[in-house]
Amino acid sequence: PVPPTAPAARRLRRAAAPLAALATAGAAWAVVAAVDPGAPNAPYPPSPLPAHTGGDCPGCGGLRAAHAHAHGLPGPALAANALVVLAALALGTALLYWLVAELRGRPVDPPAVPAACRWALAAAVAAFTVLRNLPLFPPGA
């Protein structure tokens, strides 16, 4: 006879991977929330792209955005890097969906992302990078 807890134990074992992913993302989020990237002695390395090119990459400002978002400041978070805020929300939602599906015993396969969607995402990141480096809003405006 199979013990009645076998399906539940199996679901919990399957949930180990999404739980580990959520724990890792949560730990990284907690570090960025606790250690202000704008502080003078912050332990984060500087981004090399602005030093070499004078422009911002798609991730520049991401730590400041995550720090502000973790402190419930959506305006400063979006101003620092809207792409990182949207990506963090999408990742968090996907990880929670994965966990709930595993706990319900309905594992999900990774979605097949069509090439057109991948190209559209790459184009959106490229457009974001170009637009954020245009002098549309001069300092102090």
Side-chain angles (χ1 to χ4, degrees):
V2 177
T5 59
R10 198 170 321 130
R11 278 189 293 224
L12 284 174
R13 274 194 303 278
R14 281 198 311 256
L19 280 172
L22 276 166
T24 302
W29 190 259
V31 168
V32 174
V35 182
D36 183 2
N41 293 323
Y44 307 112
S47 176
L49 194 69
H52 292 358
T53 66
D56 290 334
C57 72
C60 282
L63 288 172
R64 290 188 309 275
H67 183 78
H69 192 66
H71 287 273
L73 303 169
L78 289 169
N81 191 317
L83 188 63
V84 167
V85 173
L86 294 174
L89 291 172
L91 177 64
T93 301
L95 290 176
L96 286 173
Y97 180 80
W98 182 23
L99 175 63
V100 169
E102 292 293 353
L103 289 173
R104 289 185 175 169
R106 294 186 228 140
V108 290
D109 291 327
V113 181
C117 290
R118 292 191 303 264
W119 280 107
L121 180 61
V125 171
F128 175 78
T129 304
V130 169
L131 288 173
R132 74 184 317 217
N133 284 292
L134 293 177
L136 298 175
F137 304 102

